């Protein structure tokens, strides 16, 4: 078996120490489509040479931004073929706006392992801190490993968010580019599922798919631009569950509701069906 819950649960990963620059932030934002209107002052705030504003979702990739190798799914008690793995969910909460450059350390541990029968869900939580110990952000994520269930564990909670039945308070469309996944690879995620047609077919997809984190981050930008006046510094947290496949070139439709001091977001594709591709999306502000 590729998962030994006795070893994996509670295991801590080696600390990741890293730095980032304003250029890294600019590259990240360009990979999400920032600057599509180069005359829009709100778009240019993401691409300022000295102090670009930083989407909180940059914190999800900051530690591995310069990676050039495909990731490995190898942790204590876990060794899984990358072709079996898809991203399950992602959340980030920042304690304050992320600076345009800096250095930090991330400590990650495995907090939950759920047995879905035909698959396993592995949950990780991470805390990123500045050199002086100040906490900068926290993340929680899960991966869905096909064929790795059946080890007798609990199925885990659903934690689903029900969207309001009333019309959305705002709606926007995100046009992804045919080369969107190749652009987002420059942010450190070199999984060939997003670039290699043969690898994608072997994993059960007709062609390379868009990174879940790219969709997630583009939605964070859409929320910022649509209901927060383009002010990324006001976005405190955003989380969601990857519920469907997005292909580069798809158009995403985001419907946003303001409910009880938080934003709920429904995300689907415009040209296939109404089924969500990113579900249970909740965003909060400072």
């Amino acid at each position: 078996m590729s998962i030994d819950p006795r070893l994996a649960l509670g295991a801590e990963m080696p600390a990741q120490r890293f730095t980032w620059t304003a250029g890294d932030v600019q590259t990240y934002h360009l990979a999400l489509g920032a600057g599509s209107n180069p005359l829009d002052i709100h778009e240019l705030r993401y691409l300022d040479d000295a102090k670009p504003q930083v989407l909180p979702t940059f914190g999800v990739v900051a530690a591995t931004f310069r990676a050039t190798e495909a990731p490995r799914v190898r942790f204590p008690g876990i060794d899984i073929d990358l072709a079996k793995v898809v991203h399950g969910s992602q959340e980030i909460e920042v304690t304050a706006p992320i600076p345009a450059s800096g250095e930090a350390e991330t400590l990650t541990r495995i907090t939950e392992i759920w047995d879905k029968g035909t698959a396993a869900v592995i949950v990780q939580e991470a805390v990123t801190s500045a050199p002086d110990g100040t906490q900068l952000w926290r993340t929680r994520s899960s991966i869905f490993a096909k064929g790795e269930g059946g080890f007798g564990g609990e199925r885990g909670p659903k934690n689903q968010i029900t969207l309001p039945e009333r019309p959305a308070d705002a709606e926007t469309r995100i046009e992804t580019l045919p080369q969107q996944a190749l652009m987002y690879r420059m942010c450190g995620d070199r999984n060939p599922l997003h670039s290699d047609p043969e690898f994608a077919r072997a994993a059960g997809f007709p062609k390379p798919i868009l990174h879940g984190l790219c969709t997630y981050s583009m939605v964070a930008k859409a929320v910022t631009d649509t209901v927060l006046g383009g002010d990324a510094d006001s976005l405190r947290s955003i989380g969601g569950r990857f519920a469907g496949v997005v292909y580069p070139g798809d158009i995403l439709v985001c419907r946003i509701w303001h409910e009880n001091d938080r934003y709920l977001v429904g995300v689907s594709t415009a040209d296939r069906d109404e089924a969500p591709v990113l579900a249970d999306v909740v965003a909060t502000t400072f």
Side-chain angles (χ1 to χ4, degrees):
M1 180 170 293
S2 300
I3 299 177
D4 185 342
R6 296 170 299 176
L7 294 177
L9 196 58
E12 296 185 355
M13 309 299 110
Q16 295 173 288
R17 296 180 177 86
F18 60 95
T19 62
W20 71 95
T21 68
D24 296 331
V25 172
Q26 290 174 308
T27 298
Y28 175 72
H29 289 152
L30 285 169
L32 302 180
S36 57
N37 181 352
L39 302 180
D40 185 338
I41 189 170
H42 293 103
E43 289 293 312
L44 294 176
R45 291 176 65 186
Y46 291 106
L47 302 169
D48 185 83
D49 282 334
K51 296 184 68 175
Q53 68 169 359
V54 186
L55 280 169
T57 51
F58 176 74
V60 174
V61 302
T64 56
F65 193 83
R66 295 185 179 89
T68 57
E69 303 266 340
R72 295 182 177 182
V73 191
R74 293 180 182 173
F75 314 119
I78 296 173
D79 189 352
I80 302 172
D81 181 356
L82 183 61
K84 294 182 176 181
V85 172
V86 293
H87 210 136
S89 64
Q90 184 66 57
E91 303 172 28
I92 188 166
E93 180 177 4
V94 298
T95 57
I98 297 176
S101 61
E103 59 180 304
E105 177 181 86
T106 294
L107 298 175
T108 305
R109 64 188 182 94
I110 297 173
T111 57
E112 300 163 34
I113 301 177
W114 304 117
D115 186 348
K116 300 296 184 179
T118 59
V121 174
I122 301 163
V123 180
Q124 301 178 58
E125 295 184 359
V127 176
T128 298
S129 303
D132 65 1
T134 301
Q135 182 177 306
L136 299 175
W137 62 80
R138 299 177 65 92
T139 63
R140 177 181 170 88
S141 64
S142 70
I143 58 173
F144 187 87
K146 295 177 288 185
E148 298 297 336
F151 52 84
E154 296 182 10
R155 289 190 61 84
K158 290 186 176 181
N159 297 326
Q160 294 181 339
I161 301 295
T162 300
L163 295 175
E165 294 184 2
R166 62 182 175 83
D169 297 309
E171 181 174 322
T172 189
R173 294 163 72 91
I174 304 171
E175 297 186 9
T176 69
L177 299 173
Q179 69 272 34
Q180 197 84 51
L182 299 177
M183 295 164 60
Y184 191 79
R185 289 181 82 239
M186 299 300 101
C187 301
D189 189 338
R190 304 305 179 106
N191 187 336
L193 179 62
H194 309 294
S195 61
D196 185 332
E198 184 175 340
F199 186 95
R201 285 192 293 269
F205 300 98
K207 58 184 178 179
I209 66 176
L210 189 61
H211 304 71
L213 284 182
C214 186
T215 300
Y216 164 79
S217 300
M218 293 179 85
V219 169
K221 182 177 182 299
V223 170
T224 300
D225 296 340
T226 305
V227 296
L228 302 181
D231 181 11
D233 288 353
S234 66
L235 185 60
R236 179 175 185 174
S237 71
I238 186 167
R241 175 175 58 85
F242 303 107
V245 176
V246 176
Y247 293 100
D250 280 349
I251 297 174
L252 303 177
V253 179
C254 298
R255 298 178 177 89
I256 306 170
W257 290 264
H258 194 189
E259 288 271 307
N260 301 323
D261 297 324
R262 61 181 186 169
Y263 293 94
L264 308 182
V265 188
V267 186
S268 60
T269 58
D271 57 350
R272 289 202 299 275
D273 53 46
E274 292 294 322
V277 293
L278 190 63
D280 305 330
V281 181
V282 180
T284 66
T285 58
F286 286 103

